[in-house]
């Protein structure tokens, strides 16, 4: 996995990586453009911190569930965030933060129905 020097930005998750689960470090504050592009093997992604998700961050992925564990809502600032991704993808967030997460979708409103409370 390629991070910025201070591990604040996750730039690339290798699409050939065989792991079926991955946890984004809580120090990460941004998931970059096409960071998980084509990662077909990963099924569960856990995001421990508060991040900004950029354009096409999860394009063409096989992810079934993205779990946000922080109660402070992340921001979905990109376009086509899930372009060509698993159509059944679910974004699991703490029940108490469900509304906040949905309201932090700034551009790609097609993902609103992907959110579920946990």
């Amino acid at each position: 996995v390629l991070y910025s020097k201070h591990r604040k930005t996750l730039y690339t998750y290798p699409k050939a990586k065989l792991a079926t689960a991955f946890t984004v470090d809580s120090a990460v504050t941004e998931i970059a453009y096409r960071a998980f592009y084509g990662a077909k093997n990963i099924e569960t992604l856990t995001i421990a911190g508060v991040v900004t998700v950029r354009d096409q961050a999860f394009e063409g992925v096989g992810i079934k569930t993205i779990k946000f564990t922080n109660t402070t809502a992340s921001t979905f600032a990109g376009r086509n965030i899930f372009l060509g991704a698993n159509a059944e993808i679910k974004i699991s967030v703490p029940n108490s933060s469900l509304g906040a997460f949905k309201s932090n979708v700034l551009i790609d409103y097609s993902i609103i129905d992907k959110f579920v409370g946990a």
Side-chain angles (χ1 to χ4, degrees):
V1 179
L2 178 63
Y3 294 96
S4 63
K5 181 178 179 180
H6 298 290
R7 297 184 68 88
K8 296 287 184 194
T9 303
L10 188 153
Y11 285 115
T12 304
Y13 179 90
K15 63 182 169 183
K17 193 171 175 87
L18 297 177
T20 59
F22 179 72
T23 298
V24 175
D25 188 279
S26 61
V28 171
T29 59
E30 180 176 359
I31 296 179
Y33 166 77
R34 296 180 92 183
F36 285 86
Y37 173 77
K40 296 290 186 191
N41 295 320
I42 188 169
E43 295 180 3
T44 303
L45 176 67
T46 302
I47 300 175
V50 179
V51 298
T52 298
V53 181
R54 299 294 178 192
D55 294 350
Q56 301 168 327
F58 302 106
E59 182 179 351
V61 298
I63 296 172
K64 294 177 182 173
T65 304
I66 298 176
K67 297 178 184 178
F68 285 88
T69 59
N70 200 306
T71 56
T72 303
S74 291
T75 302
F76 298 81
R79 296 184 191 278
N80 300 314
I81 292 171
F82 296 104
L83 182 69
N86 177 359
E88 302 300 316
I89 196 167
K90 295 293 177 206
I91 306 168
S92 174
V93 302
N95 280 326
S96 62
S97 303
L98 186 57
F101 270 86
K102 286 183 176 184
S103 68
N104 279 0
V105 175
L106 303 181
I107 299 171
D108 190 357
Y109 299 110
S110 68
I111 69 171
I112 296 279
D113 67 333
K114 306 289 184 188
F115 288 95
V116 294

